[in-house]
Amino acid sequence: MKLAIFGANSHIAQDLVASFANHGGYDCHLFVRDITSVFAEADPIVKRQLFTVSEYAEFDQATHYDAILNFVGVGDPERAKAMGPTIFEVTERYDQLAMAYLKRYPASKYIFLSSGAAYGGNFEVPVSEGTKAVFSINELRAQDWYSVAKFCAECRHRAHAEMNIVDVRVFGYFSSKQSLDARFLLSDILKALKTGGVLGVSPENMVRDYMVPSDFFQLIASILSSPPTNAVVDCYTLQPVDKFTLLSTVKSTYGLEYDVVGEHAKVNATGTKSNYYSLNRHAAMFGFKPGESSMSGILKEIEVHLASAEGEECNIDHS
């Protein structure tokens, strides 16, 4: 299967590309804005020369792809905050590039990486199939831009019911390759485990559903192998996890030290989300069956991360 992958330098895209490489049967053409600043020579995909890597100027509308996967966007809440309203232009530019391609090749598929944030700002309870998106239209704030950009893209896709487009809403994602510099709770946990420091957390609890690479690959592969459709799916695992259960489990398993330090420890670039997960199981229509819960997946990925870090230390020449 021949795939064009936009935003191939993103964390979640790189994990998926590695899964494609490991499973075989996928010919991926990776597109990024600047090859030299993104892919280091040590990157396994580049080093093994498995897939072609190009800048967007080289995207050829005449080349046939079975599907386009669009990961262009921001995965870090601090970056989303810094981008501000420009996120609208960035989201639309690459979305329109993919949709123009579908007009030329209507049999091709398009998978767009959306977000649970497209539901708006109301997560007092988890969302479900009947949940409506909620935005304060007369008082839109900077932290709403990311959510509204995803919502607008989804509306554009539903307006073209004749196109084979599936929007995949990610609520939480974690892998062993998570950047320690990203402002996520799990990034901060990894950093504290690596440095031996004490993690400061805010006092409010929250419930999240964190998908890991194995289940994300299974979801995307199931969509790619299914009959063409125009639809949207929410990501989910076997079970979400609340913040303090997560913290106490990582503490008992890996010795994490943490303190409740106050509200200033909270990162809130895209709004407060007390129950940021979905009960919508529409992805099962594609044959998706998660293999991990949030907690089991996180523990496996932390184990891989720590083992990898230990291996890197052993390979350092101390002479």
Side-chain angles (χ1 to χ4, degrees):
M1 181 174 286
K2 190 172 181 63
L3 308 175
I5 301 181
F6 294 175
N9 56 303
S10 72
H11 170 214
I12 192 168
Q14 289 190 47
D15 284 342
L16 181 62
V17 168
S19 295
F20 283 144
N22 291 333
H23 284 80
Y26 299 93
D27 178 11
C28 301
H29 193 159
L30 314 181
F31 290 93
V32 295
R33 274 174 286 185
D34 183 0
I35 297 174
T36 58
S37 65
V38 174
F39 285 92
E41 289 300 319
D43 186 279
I45 298 301
V46 174
K47 191 173 182 180
R48 291 158 60 191
Q49 297 183 324
L50 293 176
F51 302 131
T52 301
V53 183
S54 302
E55 296 182 0
Y56 290 105
E58 298 178 55
F59 179 70
D60 186 358
Q61 290 278 356
T63 302
H64 179 264
Y65 297 103
D66 295 295
I68 295 177
L69 283 65
N70 184 357
F71 292 88
V72 174
V74 289
D76 183 340
E78 288 291 355
R79 283 189 60 213
K81 185 176 181 180
M83 283 188 71
T86 61
I87 197 168
F88 288 104
E89 289 78 22
V90 172
T91 302
E92 183 175 10
R93 183 187 315 146
Y94 296 99
D95 187 42
Q96 293 286 16
L97 182 64
M99 293 183 72
Y101 183 86
L102 260 63
K103 290 180 181 178
R104 180 165 187 163
Y105 295 99
S108 295
K109 296 180 179 179
Y110 175 30
I111 296 177
F112 174 81
L113 192 74
S114 188
S115 168
Y119 281 102
N122 186 7
F123 290 95
E124 294 180 4
V125 296
V127 298
S128 62
E129 193 168 345
T131 299
K132 293 178 173 59
V134 177
F135 298 98
S136 298
I137 191 64
N138 292 320
E139 297 180 9
L140 287 175
R141 302 158 297 173
Q143 64 197 51
D144 296 321
W145 302 151
Y146 175 80
S147 302
V148 176
K150 293 296 188 183
F151 175 79
C152 289
E154 288 194 24
C155 290
R156 187 160 52 243
H157 299 161
R158 301 294 82 75
H160 290 274
E162 76 284 0
M163 292 185 173
N164 302 320
I165 306 175
V166 177
D167 298 323
V168 176
R169 297 188 190 120
V170 176
F171 287 77
Y173 179 83
F174 177 67
S175 85
S176 61
K177 298 177 182 178
Q178 176 71 52
S179 170
L180 301 186
D181 296 325
R183 286 311 316 276
F184 290 115
L185 173 63
L186 284 164
S187 298
D188 292 341
I189 287 175
L190 287 181
K191 188 182 297 183
L193 289 174
K194 184 175 182 178
T195 64
V198 178
L199 173 65
V201 299
S202 57
E204 90 289 349
N205 205 357
M206 61 183 188
V207 184
R208 297 286 188 273
D209 208 7
Y210 297 97
M211 185 172 272
V212 293
S214 57
D215 276 342
F216 187 70
F217 168 75
Q218 187 213 144
L219 173 59
I220 297 301
S222 67
I223 295 172
L224 289 173
S225 62
S226 294
T229 187
N230 186 296
V232 59
V233 298
D234 289 353
C235 289
Y236 57 89
T237 72
L238 291 174
Q239 184 177 351
V241 65
D242 71 273
K243 181 173 77 174
F244 286 104
T245 296
L246 169 61
L247 290 169
S248 62
T249 302
V250 177
K251 178 177 181 178
S252 63
T253 307
Y254 297 108
L256 172 72
E257 294 296 332
Y258 67 92
D259 281 336
V260 178
V261 296
E263 292 292 334
H264 63 275
K266 181 166 54 177
V267 177
N268 189 24
T270 57
T272 302
K273 302 177 178 67
S274 300
N275 291 279
Y276 192 51
Y277 65 100
S278 177
L279 302 176
N280 187 340
R281 298 296 183 259
H282 184 66
M285 299 291 291
F286 292 94
F288 172 65
K289 296 179 181 179
E292 303 288 350
S293 66
S294 289
M295 195 72 258
S296 69
I298 287 170
L299 292 178
K300 287 181 179 179
E301 292 299 312
I302 289 178
E303 185 71 31
V304 172
H305 177 88
L306 295 179
S308 176
E310 185 176 319
E312 289 176 2
E313 290 179 3
C314 290
N315 290 330
I316 296 176
D317 183 0
H318 296 285
S319 59

